[in-house]
């Protein structure tokens, strides 16, 4: 059993790591050995070999159910561990208590508690950190119409998406997560806004998502996808220009300090 807080922290670690979608991956470190291993294991990965080989040695590989299992199994983003800190046991279970089965996305929803049919609405009444399932895919609901999932679409890897962008079919409470009663805080409350690294074009993850939220609060119209692309770069430059900062498109300590002054 893992606490909600630890599960959140692991999802945040995955979001803040460099990741790519790998079939059969639950945090596999993609050094040369890891790349050779995953490419040999599945034809799907073999078809993506060129893209996998392009990843630097500190990338981690996840598929959709692997993100859930690896996060619950202790993923921390530790580049010195084969699975980034997740524990994989000889009996093919994950976690220090051997209580996380190496199941498919269908296997995960089948063992969930309180399984309920999803509604195609914005901001659904679903508990934070519940498993979302649709045929062939799963993710984790984090509140505010947002989902954490690993998918080859979008930024190709672990990312934040909109709940109503997919036809989710069921949600349920994972049996190996110790849910707090009536908790709907999701992930956003677990990472203080001051703990933001330097961000630039090419950055991705939860901190970019927060930056996009802050820029939209200031009047930008960005897609909050956690990917620092050309539009986010332009919005940062516009912010820097307006407040007479160095206009370099890099969201570092000085620009962040000004942002905190503005939005507080």
């Amino acid at each position: 059993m893992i606490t909600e807080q630890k599960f959140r922290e692991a999802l945040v670690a995955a979001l803040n790591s460099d990741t790519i979608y790998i079939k059969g991956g639950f945090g596999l470190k993609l050094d040369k050995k890891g790349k050779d291993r995953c490419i040999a294991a599945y034809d799907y990965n073999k078809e993506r070999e060129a893209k996998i080989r392009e990843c630097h040695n500190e990338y981690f590989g996840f598929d959709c159910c692997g993100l859930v299992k690896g996060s619950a199994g202790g993923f921390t983003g530790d580049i010195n561990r084969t699975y980034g800190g997740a524990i994989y046991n000889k009996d093919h279970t994950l976690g220090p208590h051997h209580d996380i089965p190496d199941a498919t996305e269908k296997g995960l929803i089948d063992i969930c508690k309180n399984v309920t049919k999803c509604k195609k609405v914005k901001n659904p009444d679903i508990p934070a950190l519940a498993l979302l399932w649709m045929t062939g895919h799963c993710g984790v609901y984090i509140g505010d119409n947002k989902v954490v999932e690993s998918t080859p679409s979008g930024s190709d890897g672990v990312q934040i998406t909109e709940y109503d962008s997919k036809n989710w079919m069921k949600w349920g409470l994972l049996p190996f997560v110790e849910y707090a009663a009536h908790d709907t805080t999701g992930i956003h409350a677990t990472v203080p806004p001051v703990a933001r690294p330097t961000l630039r074009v090419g950055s991705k993850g939860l901190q970019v998502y927060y930056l996009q939220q802050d820029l939209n609060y200031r009047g930008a119209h960005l897609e909050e996808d956690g990917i620092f692309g050309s539009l986010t770069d332009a919005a940062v430059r516009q912010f820097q220009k307006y407040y007479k900062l160095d206009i370099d498109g890099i969201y570092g300590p000085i620009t962040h300090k000004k942002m905190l002054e503005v939005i507080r």
Side-chain angles (χ1 to χ4, degrees), residues 221-241:
H221 300 284
L222 300 170
E223 181 180 357
E224 295 171 6
D225 58 3
I227 304 170
F228 198 126
S230 60
L231 295 179
T232 301
D233 176 73
V236 169
R237 289 174 185 273
Q238 183 63 33
F239 179 87
Q240 292 170 327
K241 179 180 179 181

Side-chain angles (χ1 to χ4, degrees), residues 44-196:
Y44 178 84
N45 296 339
K46 177 67 174 176
E47 293 170 2
R48 286 162 51 86
E49 179 173 2
K51 191 164 189 177
I52 293 170
R53 296 285 185 197
E54 288 176 357
C55 297
H56 61 66
N57 290 342
E58 294 182 5
Y59 261 73
F60 295 99
F62 290 94
D63 64 15
C64 63
C65 52
L67 172 63
V68 177
K69 295 180 293 188
S71 296
F75 182 82
T76 61
D78 185 348
I79 61 172
N80 296 311
R81 304 284 296 278
T82 300
Y83 302 113
I87 297 172
Y88 188 71
N89 304 303
K90 291 182 178 179
D91 61 358
H92 304 296
T93 62
L94 287 91
H97 306 296
H98 298 249
D99 58 345
I100 304 166
D102 190 7
T104 64
E105 68 285 340
K106 182 63 166 61
L108 288 175
I109 193 65
D110 284 347
I111 63 173
C112 279
K113 298 176 286 187
N114 295 27
V115 175
T116 305
K117 185 177 179 180
C118 289
K119 297 179 180 179
K120 186 71 183 270
V121 296
K122 199 174 184 68
N123 294 313
D125 185 18
I126 296 176
L129 304 181
L131 180 77
L132 293 172
W133 175 84
M134 59 188 292
T135 303
H137 189 55
C138 66
V140 178
Y141 187 68
I142 60 173
D144 194 29
N145 204 57
K146 306 296 183 186
V147 178
V148 176
E149 57 181 307
S150 183
T151 171
S153 61
S155 60
D156 193 354
V158 180
Q159 57 197 282
I160 293 175
T161 60
E162 297 288 325
Y163 168 82
D164 54 349
S165 68
K166 286 186 172 67
N167 293 315
W168 297 107
M169 299 170 68
K170 297 178 183 179
W171 67 264
L173 301 180
L174 292 159
F176 41 79
V177 176
E178 187 177 356
Y179 291 91
H182 310 298
D183 183 9
T184 58
T185 56
I187 282 179
H188 196 285
T190 69
V191 181
V194 293
R196 184 171 290 164

